[in-house]
Amino acid sequence: MAGFPTDLEIAKAAKLQPLGDIAAEMGIGQHLVTPYGRQVAKIELAAIDELADRPRAKYIVVSAVTPTPLGEGKTTTTVGLGQAMRHIGKRATIAIRQPSMGPTFGIKGGAAGGGYSQVVPMEQLNLHLTGDFHAVTAAHNMLSAVLDNHLFQGNESEIDQHNITWRRVLDVNDRALRNVIVGLGSRLDGVPRQTGFDITAASEVMAIFALARSVPEMRERLGRIVVAYTRDGKPVTAEDIGGAGAMAVIMRDAMAPNLLQTLENTPVLVHAGPFGNIAHGNSSVVADLIGIHSGDYLITEAGFGADMGAERFFNIKCRASGLTPDAAVVVTTVRALKAHSGNHRIVAGRPLPEALLAENPDEVHIGGANLRKQIENIRLHGIPAVVAINAFPDDHPSEHAAIAEIAESMGARSAVCTHFADGGRGATDLARAVAEAADEPSDFHFLYPESAPLREKIEIVAREVYGADGVDYDPPAARQLDSYERNGFGNLPVCIAKTHLSISSDPSLKGAPTGWRLPVREVRASVGAGFIYPICGDMRTMPGLGAHPAAHKIDLDADGNIMNLS
Amino acid sequence: MAGFPTDLEIAKAAKLQPLGDIAAEMGIGQHLVTPYGRQVAKIELAAIDELADRPRAKYIVVSAVTPTPLGEGKTTTTVGLGQAMRHIGKRATIAIRQPSMGPTFGIKGGAAGGGYSQVVPMEQLNLHLTGDFHAVTAAHNMLSAVLDNHLFQGNESEIDQHNITWRRVLDVNDRALRNVIVGLGSRLDGVPRQTGFDITAASEVMAIFALARSVPEMRERLGRIVVAYTRDGKPVTAEDIGGAGAMAVIMRDAMAPNLLQTLENTPVLVHAGPFGNIAHGNSSVVADLIGIHSGDYLITEAGFGADMGAERFFNIKCRASGLTPDAAVVVTTVRALKAHSGNHRIVAGRPLPEALLAENPDEVHIGGANLRKQIENIRLHGIPAVVAINAFPDDHPSEHAAIAEIAESMGARSAVCTHFADGGRGATDLARAVAEAADEPSDFHFLYPESAPLREKIEIVAREVYGADGVDYDPPAARQLDSYERNGFGNLPVCIAKTHLSISSDPSLKGAPTGWRLPVREVRASVGAGFIYPICGDMRTMPGLGAHPAAHKIDLDADGNIMNLS
């Protein structure tokens, strides 16, 4: 947009309110607000009990159609919707994940929203914030050191060195760390073995931190982490090797959610950032347990499309928190639905194809199959869906109308939003639609019971959410499922790790693919976090840097201001 | 001591003052004080300029005799002396290093002082504090990722893969990471090569952070880091491969020193924690640039014995800061000097030998050779030394008298201190002695000019400080020195990496060894930090965990309180 200010210019011009005032509006007393720098605070977990008698907010999850590689503005819409609530006389609290620092120096856009719907201060948000991710890194690698020390000191647990599942993590895009050999050197330098590093967001500690309802529960979950198996196939836990207590000490202070604000001073709880494919991709349970009693609406964002983050929000996060959602937003853009027609190819960092910009409501209708399925994926869980049409300057009114028709045909409300350009007042129609939907009677339910066998749970998600004809297991996957059932992990929910670029497991299939089967190559267990994750495709758990990464351009100017961070 | 409370009990009973009040007493306005949690703040670097017109404090460095593996209570004495200044009507600021988190989970004692001379809150101090160490880890590993990405993307700089000096770091005791191979897997998983991890305290980024006088100077120094050499031997810097700007952004906020307080509310600036052997082992220059105008005395601690940390304080840190010290304290204990007689063997974690506890002033005189040499090592730099006799309950008055005689024979003041048991009032004699010494006319000077060739600088430190007869260079060391001179690094000061358990390079030689030559095996360069470090012995830059590490015992109790952290 010619002449439109940059995100950073807008953010710098914002008039921030003291966080103590923002917390007070949420009903949170000063004694629970610990400042961390000038515009960030932590809210002590005692707030959960202190707020418990206040009215319960309506609980809204923001999801999306299957995104293009550019993203569809889900965080921006979450922020815009939160801001809009004040414009219709309501008070909202927003809850989002903390961005991962690694990709910030790769090719990622900002994770703070954008335009006039941003979380500020964006520099802290995109860098260290209050150090929670660093605590996850430190706790994770402490357990790795305790594990390798266990091997070095005599391997009392008789760990099978070829069946060690615990790796190491760093919050950096570093492909050279994906596969490493450690323990080289002399006899005093440890036991040589092959392992690797994941990015910190992929750590099971991150998932635990996001799912625990309290510090003692976090401590217990850390103890349940399975780090390896013995030579006769028995799981060895973090508790068994004496690493869980130290991890809990390292993680304790991180358990308090971080309070920031939007450009319009709407409270934002930013807390935890688990991966959206091999983990559940949702912000923390404790933040939501605070937010659920701190306003009229608690608006939280789930990762990727509704088949991914929202499905885990319902079946993993809500199961852990005990909270019941009232409505879901499905964010879409015209360009995403056009891309779902299968006629265009969108590549991050390149201009959009010309043909995609031409007025073409028919193409929107074709690609709309994806939107229909994602609305259905919400309704499967018994709550109403609202379609947020995130408007772009190149859109045509006929295309917005096409989306509204699709929504209506599915019995869902919809609204065109211009919160990027206009802030909260650009999303008041959406806010009203969400308020109406949340007031409807609803019947939230999980998609499957915990007690179902693992294969049945996988089958249910694959058929009902993904639209697959069935599931195929490679032999290792079948063996792993059997062993998990045998080891008592069969009652855990499933978190199916597949591409986020298709509802199917094939990223090239657009729209709402049918006539395919879900191939499960292997199955892993996050026993501490409390889910089993079947792997369906090539899941990257450590990104790399490109030929021209943002790291080459991000710098300080002569006055110490940060340049080129977005 | 029977019935004496634990450090943690004492710390928990302390009445802390609001840090804003403590900063105000230092002359630092509220606008420069950023809270990070309830009892820790950062002081913005603008304080350096704002305080510049205030009177200059006397600048005192606290050093020690060559320590036993138990340590001689140098931090405790630094804190006790700082507290004592108030008891004699003076105001002091204390400046110390931040402890490294890795060893906290190994076998280390607290790094917060002890008894009634502690820095609080000790839990934050010994864990994340404000995340500065995490920032160093992240910045260091960002450069590692940029470097490996440079190789992966085509190695435009023609880096010799067998001459890469930049490794990775983590703040954990993890021997299995000392020697690793990275880049395994497929062609898309990086370039395979051998490398390793050091502990974060050993990072050159840590040394840079400690020595820079400002954020722009830090940025420049980061750019000068040499990460590798080309196939024809030319240095390749962080700037060359485009990593320095991103590192500076990651490090920017960490540059503000952390303000804490002692049990008696004396201000303590805790900032940076570079290693004491391969780096200079002193807290940050910026903290001292603030502290030098914030009271009557600025008391800072240097790592290990006077041959190590104090020598680098004078010749590296003061050269970088431009500040001139007025006096030095040499901390000793009766047991250390008895150990320097060569008659006893002290092992960390085991009870002291019975024979060492028997009254034996003659043995103190024999081991006193070490104290004499360390006093001389202070005087070599033109400033007065004061001997702090850190009293233990098992000491005998005749042994304290022996130490006082040694000090007097060297023309140095001395005082017996009981600050561990009595807090500041137990160190008032020391405070008076330090005040008198600092009022004496002094003639501070560096031991060697920057312009001297590297071999001459090494020779001067070896002969004059260590008492060696000369220096022997292994062939690789000689080649490296020639290459550094050729590459324009010959004007840097030297930081000789040797054992801290002897003034010589042989840890078994006690007292003040003579008749030996310093063997230099290899020579490395920290060009960004600004020193060359010859390696004389086996320098561990990544510790390991023992068979019964503290990590196994540190835990949370049912109320979320930290247990067994000391």
Side-chain angles (χ1 to χ4, degrees):
Chain A
M1 266 175 268
F4 198 82
T6 66
D7 286 359
L8 188 59
E9 285 164 356
I10 294 171
K12 291 215 165 178
K15 287 223 172 71
L16 302 199
Q17 269 186 20
L19 287 171
D21 295 355
I22 288 181
E25 281 180 32
M26 299 167 74
I28 297 171
Q30 295 302 307
H31 62 293
L32 299 171
V33 180
T34 311
Y36 269 73
R38 293 205 181 271
Q39 292 297 343
V40 177
K42 275 193 172 283
I43 306 298
E44 291 182 24
L45 289 187
I48 296 174
D49 283 343
E50 293 201 17
L51 293 172
D53 293 336
R54 289 169 50 97
R56 181 188 169 286
K58 294 285 185 180
Y59 191 27
I60 314 295
V61 61
V62 178
S63 182
V65 296
T66 300
T68 68
L70 305 178
E72 308 320 310
K74 192 161 37 130
T75 304
T76 306
T77 304
T78 304
V79 173
L81 173 60
Q83 292 184 147
M85 284 295 177
R86 185 167 302 183
H87 294 261
I88 66 164
K90 301 288 184 182
R91 286 182 313 102
T93 302
I94 296 166
I96 60 170
R97 285 183 288 174
Q98 179 179 340
S100 178
M101 207 167 85
T104 300
F105 293 91
I107 51 158
K108 200 181 60 76
Y116 285 94
S117 292
Q118 290 186 58
V119 182
V120 280
M122 74 87 106
E123 292 177 353
Q124 279 92 320
L125 182 66
N126 282 312
L127 294 171
H128 310 287
L129 199 57
T130 60
D132 297 345
F133 272 44
H134 293 316
V136 171
T137 304
H140 186 118
N141 295 328
M142 171 62 60
L143 181 57
S144 312
V146 167
L147 172 63
D148 269 295
N149 192 51
H150 187 93
L151 299 180
F152 176 78
Q153 302 288 351
N155 193 8
E156 206 183 326
S157 302
E158 303 206 328
I159 287 173
D160 176 0
Q161 287 183 39
H162 300 287
N163 204 350
I164 294 175
T165 48
W166 195 250
R167 293 158 49 95
R168 288 175 174 81
V169 297
L170 276 178
D171 193 5
V172 62
N173 285 16
D174 192 347
R175 67 170 65 75
L177 292 178
R178 285 173 191 155
N179 302 287
V180 307
I181 295 173
V182 299
L184 299 172
S186 78
R187 201 191 57 78
L188 294 175
D189 297 324
V191 177
R193 63 186 187 87
Q194 185 158 359
T195 179
F197 285 71
D198 300 319
I199 195 164
T200 297
S203 168
E204 184 176 349
V205 179
M206 182 69 85
I208 288 173
F209 163 51
L211 287 169
R213 280 168 304 181
S214 67
V215 169
E217 187 185 314
M218 171 196 70
R219 169 65 185 81
E220 281 172 32
R221 285 174 176 265
L222 291 171
R224 290 201 292 268
I225 291 172
V226 174
V227 297
Y229 293 84
T230 62
R231 285 162 204 146
D232 50 1
K234 296 214 179 64
V236 177
T237 66
E239 200 71 61
D240 293 334
I241 60 168
M247 296 171 83
V249 166
I250 294 171
M251 285 301 299
R252 185 188 64 170
D253 293 349
M255 278 293 288
N258 306 295
L259 179 63
L260 286 80
Q261 60 189 291
T262 72
L263 294 172
E264 298 183 8
N265 313 122
T266 308
V268 186
L269 295 169
V270 179
H271 204 216
F275 248 34
N277 45 30
I278 64 151
H280 64 292
N282 279 264
S283 60
S284 84
V285 162
V286 286
D288 286 6
L289 291 176
I290 291 172
I292 200 69
H293 290 292
S294 65
D296 301 312
Y297 293 90
L298 170 60
I299 300 168
T300 190
E301 183 188 354
F304 301 141
D307 56 315
M308 302 284 291
E311 186 272 308
R312 287 107 192 256
F313 171 80
F314 298 132
N315 295 300
I316 298 177
K317 186 180 177 185
C318 288
R319 215 184 287 260
S321 70
L323 295 176
T324 304
D326 296 289
V329 173
V330 180
V331 178
T332 188
T333 57
V334 167
R335 69 184 186 197
L337 295 190
K338 285 179 170 172
H340 275 297
S341 71
N343 298 338
H344 309 285
R345 187 153 167 272
I346 296 182
V347 180
R350 302 229 194 110
L352 285 176
E354 275 295 318
L356 189 139
L357 298 175
E359 181 170 5
N360 196 341
D362 292 345
E363 197 169 64
V364 171
H365 270 289
I366 297 167
N370 185 271
L371 174 59
R372 284 185 209 98
K373 180 67 188 119
Q374 298 291 30
I375 293 172
E376 184 185 298
N377 287 341
I378 302 297
R379 308 279 290 265
L380 276 173
H381 296 86
I383 64 167
V386 177
V387 175
I389 306 168
N390 185 19
F392 276 68
D394 298 323
D395 293 350
H396 303 273
S398 63
E399 298 167 336
H400 289 168
I403 298 176
E405 282 166 32
I406 296 165
E408 204 185 341
S409 74
M410 295 292 295
R413 290 174 178 80
S414 69
V416 176
C417 330
T418 60
H419 46 272
F420 183 92
D422 300 323
R425 74 182 167 81
T428 50
D429 288 349
L430 177 64
R432 279 190 208 95
V434 166
E436 287 169 19
D439 281 342
E440 279 179 10
S442 72
D443 169 36
F444 173 69
H445 50 262
F446 302 126
L447 200 60
Y448 50 78
E450 281 189 344
S451 58
L454 291 170
R455 281 179 177 78
E456 188 179 320
K457 292 173 194 167
I458 297 168
E459 195 94 7
I460 289 172
V461 176
R463 288 181 183 271
E464 299 192 24
V465 178
Y466 303 162
D469 288 344
V471 184
D472 296 323
Y473 299 97
D474 281 4
R479 279 196 302 274
Q480 284 151 342
L481 283 169
D482 293 340
S483 110
Y484 296 146
E485 296 279 6
R486 213 165 41 233
N487 284 317
F489 310 148
N491 63 338
L492 295 175
V494 295
C495 181
I496 299 177
K498 68 162 187 71
T499 178
H500 63 280
L501 295 171
S502 171
I503 298 183
S504 78
S505 59
D506 177 350
S508 70
L509 299 181
K510 299 301 168 193
T514 54
W516 61 281
R517 297 179 62 83
L518 182 73
V520 178
R521 287 206 205 153
E522 70 171 289
V523 186
R524 299 189 198 159
S526 282
V527 179
F531 53 76
I532 298 294
Y533 60 106
I535 311 268
C536 311
D538 196 17
M539 291 300 111
R540 269 281 143 76
T541 51
M542 173 54 94
L545 293 172
H548 304 287
H552 287 179
K553 292 185 289 283
I554 293 172
D555 205 338
L556 296 176
D557 69 14
D559 298 322
N561 297 307
I562 296 174
M563 301 186 296
N564 301 321
L565 183 72
S566 68
Chain B
M1 265 175 270
F4 199 83
T6 66
D7 285 0
L8 188 58
E9 285 164 355
I10 296 171
K12 291 215 164 176
K15 289 223 171 70
L16 303 198
Q17 271 186 20
L19 286 170
D21 296 355
I22 289 181
E25 280 179 31
M26 299 167 74
I28 297 171
Q30 296 301 309
H31 64 292
L32 299 171
V33 180
T34 311
Y36 269 73
R38 294 205 180 272
Q39 292 296 342
V40 177
K42 276 193 171 283
I43 306 299
E44 290 183 26
L45 290 187
I48 297 174
D49 284 343
E50 293 201 16
L51 293 172
D53 293 337
R54 288 169 49 99
R56 183 189 169 284
K58 294 284 184 179
Y59 192 26
I60 313 297
V61 60
V62 178
S63 183
V65 296
T66 300
T68 68
L70 306 178
E72 308 320 311
K74 194 161 38 132
T75 305
T76 307
T77 304
T78 304
V79 173
L81 173 60
Q83 294 184 146
M85 285 295 177
R86 186 168 300 182
H87 294 261
I88 66 165
K90 301 289 185 182
R91 286 184 314 102
T93 302
I94 296 166
I96 60 171
R97 285 184 287 174
Q98 180 179 340
S100 178
M101 207 166 83
T104 299
F105 293 90
I107 52 160
K108 199 180 62 72
Y116 286 93
S117 292
Q118 290 186 57
V119 181
V120 281
M122 74 88 104
E123 293 177 353
Q124 280 92 321
L125 182 67
N126 282 312
L127 294 171
H128 310 288
L129 199 59
T130 60
D132 297 345
F133 272 43
H134 294 316
V136 170
T137 303
H140 186 118
N141 295 330
M142 171 61 61
L143 181 57
S144 311
V146 166
L147 172 63
D148 269 295
N149 191 51
H150 187 93
L151 299 180
F152 176 78
Q153 301 288 353
N155 193 9
E156 203 183 325
S157 301
E158 305 205 325
I159 286 173
D160 176 358
Q161 286 183 36
H162 299 287
N163 204 349
I164 293 175
T165 48
W166 194 252
R167 293 159 49 96
R168 286 175 176 82
V169 297
L170 275 179
D171 193 6
V172 62
N173 285 16
D174 192 346
R175 66 170 67 72
L177 291 178
R178 285 174 191 153
N179 302 287
V180 307
I181 294 173
V182 298
L184 298 172
S186 78
R187 202 190 57 77
L188 294 175
D189 297 324
V191 177
R193 64 186 187 86
Q194 184 158 359
T195 178
F197 284 70
D198 301 318
I199 195 163
T200 299
S203 167
E204 184 175 349
V205 178
M206 182 69 85
I208 288 172
F209 163 49
L211 287 168
R213 280 167 304 181
S214 66
V215 169
E217 187 186 314
M218 172 196 68
R219 170 66 185 81
E220 282 174 31
R221 285 174 176 264
L222 291 172
R224 290 201 292 267
I225 291 172
V226 174
V227 296
Y229 294 83
T230 62
R231 286 163 201 144
D232 52 1
K234 295 212 180 64
V236 177
T237 66
E239 201 70 61
D240 293 336
I241 60 169
M247 297 171 81
V249 167
I250 294 171
M251 285 301 298
R252 184 188 65 170
D253 294 348
M255 278 292 287
N258 305 297
L259 179 64
L260 287 81
Q261 61 189 290
T262 72
L263 295 172
E264 299 183 6
N265 313 122
T266 309
V268 185
L269 295 168
V270 179
H271 205 216
F275 248 34
N277 45 31
I278 64 151
H280 64 293
N282 279 264
S283 60
S284 84
V285 162
V286 286
D288 286 6
L289 291 175
I290 291 171
I292 199 70
H293 290 293
S294 65
D296 301 313
Y297 294 89
L298 170 60
I299 301 169
T300 190
E301 183 188 354
F304 299 140
D307 56 315
M308 302 285 290
E311 186 272 309
R312 286 107 192 254
F313 171 81
F314 297 132
N315 295 300
I316 298 177
K317 185 179 177 185
C318 288
R319 216 185 288 260
S321 70
L323 295 176
T324 304
D326 296 289
V329 173
V330 180
V331 177
T332 188
T333 57
V334 167
R335 70 184 185 196
L337 295 190
K338 284 178 170 174
H340 276 296
S341 71
N343 298 339
H344 309 285
R345 187 151 168 272
I346 296 181
V347 180
R350 301 230 193 108
L352 285 176
E354 275 294 319
L356 189 140
L357 299 175
E359 180 169 4
N360 195 342
D362 291 347
E363 198 170 63
V364 172
H365 270 290
I366 297 167
N370 185 273
L371 174 58
R372 282 184 211 102
K373 181 65 187 120
Q374 298 292 29
I375 294 172
E376 185 185 296
N377 287 341
I378 302 297
R379 309 279 292 266
L380 276 173
H381 297 87
I383 64 166
V386 177
V387 175
I389 306 168
N390 185 19
F392 278 67
D394 297 323
D395 293 351
H396 302 274
S398 64
E399 296 168 337
H400 289 167
I403 299 176
E405 282 166 32
I406 295 165
E408 204 186 340
S409 76
M410 295 293 295
R413 290 173 179 80
S414 70
V416 176
C417 330
T418 60
H419 47 273
F420 183 93
D422 301 322
R425 74 182 165 82
T428 49
D429 287 350
L430 176 65
R432 280 189 207 97
V434 166
E436 287 169 18
D439 280 342
E440 281 180 10
S442 71
D443 170 35
F444 173 70
H445 51 261
F446 302 127
L447 200 61
Y448 51 77
E450 280 187 347
S451 59
L454 291 170
R455 282 179 176 77
E456 188 179 319
K457 293 173 192 167
I458 297 168
E459 194 95 6
I460 288 172
V461 176
R463 287 180 182 273
E464 298 192 23
V465 178
Y466 303 162
D469 288 346
V471 184
D472 296 324
Y473 299 98
D474 281 4
R479 280 196 301 274
Q480 285 152 340
L481 283 169
D482 293 341
S483 109
Y484 296 145
E485 296 278 5
R486 213 164 44 231
N487 283 317
F489 310 147
N491 62 340
L492 295 175
V494 294
C495 180
I496 299 176
K498 68 163 186 70
T499 179
H500 63 282
L501 296 171
S502 170
I503 299 182
S504 77
S505 58
D506 177 350
S508 69
L509 300 180
K510 299 301 168 192
T514 54
W516 61 281
R517 296 177 64 82
L518 182 74
V520 178
R521 290 206 204 150
E522 69 171 290
V523 186
R524 298 188 199 158
S526 282
V527 179
F531 52 76
I532 299 294
Y533 60 106
I535 311 267
C536 312
D538 197 17
M539 291 300 111
R540 270 280 142 77
T541 51
M542 173 55 93
L545 293 172
H548 305 286
H552 287 180
K553 292 184 291 281
I554 293 172
D555 205 339
L556 296 177
D557 69 15
D559 298 321
N561 298 307
I562 297 175
M563 300 186 296
N564 301 321
L565 184 72
S566 68

